[in-house]
């Protein structure tokens, strides 16, 4: 004899309770939502994040402009060329550059570790001539897009599964209550001849 009968919640039978039907339909809805709704929510959030990040990057590129400058300041002692998490560590030092009119300017800007006085570096300036970070590139835009899309899809799936767990808990409570009521009605008949 088999211990489990597949699909018993789908068929009419005396063991099937209303809470079993609710649990069955909830499971079906959860499967559909996790397999389609969560990825769809992630894709929509990713598209929104991509558009937003691209417009922010374009705005920053419009506000900032790159120039080639000569390092005139000395980076902190003992700085060696290193990479932290795939990005080069920058140190703020004095740099000098000449604008289109031939005027020489000096400002503080971030330069890679290991840069020495006299080296030329590419820096980004704002409209007032101050050294600012470079605007985000396409890789940073895509990183933001994927991070937000995956986080949204994962959060949506987690919320759906938490909701399903709550529904199952309520269904189990109802099922146990129904069984207790049924036993209260039939239990005395079973135990009459056992004393």
């Amino acid at each position: 004899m088999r211990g489990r009968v597949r699909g018993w919640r789908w068929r009419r039978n005396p063991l099937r309770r209303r809470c079993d039907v609710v649990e069955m339909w909830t499971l079906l809805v959860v499967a559909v939502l996790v397999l389609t709704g969560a990825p769809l929510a992630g894709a929509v959030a990713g598209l929104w994040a991509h558009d937003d990040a691209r417009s922010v990057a374009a705005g920053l590129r419009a506000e900032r402009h790159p120039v080639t400058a000569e390092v005139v300041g000395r980076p902190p002692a003992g700085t060696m060329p290193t990479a932290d998490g795939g990005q080069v560590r920058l140190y703020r030092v004095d740099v000098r550059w000449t604008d289109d009119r031939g005027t020489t300017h000096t400002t503080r800007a971030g330069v890679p570790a290991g840069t020495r006085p006299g080296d030329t570096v590419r820096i980004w300036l704002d409209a007032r001539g101050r050294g600012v970070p470079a605007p985000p590139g396409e890789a940073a835009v895509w990183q933001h897009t994927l991070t937000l899309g995956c986080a949204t899809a994962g959060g949506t799936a987690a919320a759906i599964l938490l909701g399903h767990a709550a529904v199952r808990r309520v269904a189990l409570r109802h099922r146990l209550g129904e069984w207790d009521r049924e036993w209260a009605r039939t239990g005395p008949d079973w135990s009459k001849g056992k004393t």
Side-chain angles (χ1 to χ4, degrees), residues 36-193:
T36 59
L40 184 62
V44 169
L47 289 172
W48 173 81
H50 185 73
D51 291 343
D52 186 53
R54 285 188 74 162
S55 65
V56 167
L60 289 175
R61 276 193 295 279
E63 295 172 0
R64 301 170 182 187
H65 61 281
V67 295
T68 302
E70 178 186 357
V71 176
V72 294
R74 194 167 282 295
T79 58
M80 300 296 291
T82 59
D84 293 333
Q87 295 182 339
V88 176
R89 177 176 274 162
L90 299 179
Y91 293 95
R92 294 190 64 79
V93 297
D94 290 331
V95 295
R96 179 177 46 223
W97 81 96
T98 305
D99 64 17
D100 297 338
R101 295 180 297 229
T103 308
T104 301
H105 301 275
T106 303
T107 191
R108 290 186 67 76
V111 299
T115 304
R116 289 178 270 205
D119 290 350
T120 57
V121 293
R122 180 179 168 148
I123 63 168
W124 287 81
L125 304 172
D126 63 8
R128 294 162 65 184
R130 293 180 302 194
V132 292
E138 196 64 24
V141 168
W142 278 106
Q143 181 181 13
H144 177 71
T145 300
L146 291 174
T147 300
L148 194 63
C150 290
T152 301
T156 302
I160 292 167
L161 293 174
L162 282 173
H164 179 248
V167 168
R168 283 195 63 174
R169 187 176 189 104
V170 170
L172 178 62
R173 191 175 310 134
H174 284 285
R175 183 180 306 120
L176 292 175
E178 288 176 7
W179 286 348
D180 284 342
R181 285 188 294 278
E182 286 289 325
W183 182 251
R185 277 197 328 253
T186 60
D189 292 339
W190 281 72
S191 58
K192 277 183 186 176

